[in-house]
Amino acid sequence: MPSYDRSVALWEEAKRHLAGGVSSNVRYASAPVPLFFARGEGARLYDVDGNVHIDYILGNGPAILGHAPPAVLKAVAESLADGQVFAAQHERELALAQALTRLIPGAELVRFATSGTEAVHMAFRIARAFTGRRKIVKFEGHYHGWTDQTYISVRPSLNEAGPASEPVAVPESPGMAPGALDDVLVLGWNDLAAVEALFARHGGDIAGVIMEPVMVNGGVIAPAAGYIEGVQRLCTAHGALFICDEVITGFRLGLGGAQGRFGLKPDLSIFAKAVAGGFPLALVAGRRDVMEILLTRNVMHGGTYNGNVQSMAAALAALALLEHDGGAAYRDMERCGTRLMQGLAELGRKHRLPILVQGFPAIFQTFFTTAAAPRHYRESAACDRDMAAAFSRALQEEGIRVNQRSAWFLSTAHDTAVIDETLSAADRAMARLHS
């Protein structure tokens, strides 16, 4: 069994100075305590107790090139002497905007921010200003940040969520403004008829419909055939904006994100995480006529660190690596991720465990269920979460780091040797579940 004595001691000390001992509530979900890490390199993290972890959390997605990618660090190091924050424009910012409008199908204009949560807030403001309407439609199980207007029905308990045909908007945290629920309409995902019925009732009030084009936060569930296209057609017919939250899928499912993979052109999109190879950067991209209201109608969006020199340098270097040799990095991730997904499924059969591996090679999830693959949040929530948590703990004891809901992020550093090592460890971890 690995020792975590120093992490335990540091967390006890951290609680004296940091609220809860962490800087994000998501980080509580670690055993035996929120772990402390000393460094990361490639596919591995090294904790303060000397344990080595093959990392499939990757900072919750940003480290698509692995930890400390040399080319990105070199670009950032070279930028440091140029300054950090100008409160003005610079050429790296323009160069990145040019690259993004070339790569992202729905991007005629972009605007930079620092975090995905902040960029979602910007997209909502743009949608409301452009349409003159108030209401935003979101879906159960989709996460769009932790603000009052977004942290709604992300992981609601099923006894609070109401009937599947008419879900109740459930606030996910104490302290949220009650009025925030007034402007949010909640639906179950992958049900086009439900979207049609909602537009029939509220079409003139809906400013936009936001979704993860793949429901990563609710189980890495792909959209049903024709579903996203049908939602966008309904938005267009009713004068609402179709908003894709590609904070996770962007630059993870391909250079054009999920929209490039599925052949979409959303009215607005939000990107973050993988775009800068681990450095803080987010953006809103969209139709020219929609995005231009930031200027023409003086719709307010600000931010001291937007477009900062180091994040621009990091993103330019990261995208250059991802684009190199016709996107060879993605072909390698597809190959290695497919091998890992198939290997985990085979190990489940070997150990007679009801494991389901669902998603895409660069981001997938393992479930424990005897039912069919989940199509929406409520089916995902019905899977065996206790077994998933036990599997996560067993993997950690074998040197494999996945999050508590058993989502797996891959990077370009997860090569064949790393995948083979992971599968050997997963074999031992599954054997532990029987002991």
Side-chain angles (χ1 to χ4, degrees), residues 358-383:
Q358 174 170 290
F360 299 82
I363 169 65
F364 64 86
Q365 183 155 332
T366 48
F367 295 94
F368 289 86
T369 180
T370 56
R375 298 162 298 172
H376 49 72
Y377 168 73
R378 296 193 184 209
E379 290 181 352
S380 173
C383 296

Side-chain angles (χ1 to χ4, degrees), residues 67-139:
H67 295 287
V72 175
L73 296 187
K74 181 176 184 289
V76 171
E78 291 173 350
S79 76
L80 288 171
D82 296 336
Q84 287 73 50
V85 180
F86 301 151
Q89 292 55 251
H90 55 98
E91 290 188 20
R92 286 185 180 92
E93 181 183 45
L94 173 58
L96 182 57
Q98 290 170 329
L100 293 167
T101 54
R102 173 173 55 85
L103 292 170
I104 301 169
E108 295 178 341
L109 290 175
V110 303
R111 175 67 75 91
F112 294 118
T114 305
S115 73
T117 292
E118 176 190 349
V120 169
H121 183 73
M122 187 205 322
F124 283 9
R125 180 170 291 178
I126 291 170
R128 288 179 170 128
F130 185 80
T131 63
R133 302 171 181 177
R134 292 176 48 188
K135 295 190 181 295
I136 301 290
V137 178
K138 79 168 300 282
F139 298 89

Side-chain angles (χ1 to χ4, degrees), residues 183-196:
D183 292 333
V184 176
L185 300 169
V186 176
L187 288 175
W189 200 51
N190 260 339
D191 182 351
L192 188 58
V195 183
E196 291 174 340

Side-chain angles (χ1 to χ4, degrees), residues 214-263:
V214 174
M215 194 173 79
V216 174
N217 285 283
V220 195
I221 300 172
Y227 175 69
I228 295 183
E229 297 85 348
V231 173
Q232 183 160 21
R233 283 195 299 272
L234 286 166
C235 287
T236 301
H238 290 272
L241 297 186
F242 177 60
I243 307 169
C244 270
D245 182 343
E246 295 233 46
V247 166
I248 294 179
T249 54
F251 300 100
R252 178 159 288 282
L253 294 189
L255 284 166
Q259 59 193 265
R261 193 167 185 135
F262 298 151

Side-chain angles (χ1 to χ4, degrees), residues 12 19 105 126 142 177 208 223 264 329 354 384 390-391 404:
E12 290 301 323
I126 291 170
H142 293 226
L264 305 170
D384 191 335
F391 185 42
Q404 289 292 306

Side-chain angles (χ1 to χ4, degrees), residues 48 222 286:
V48 294

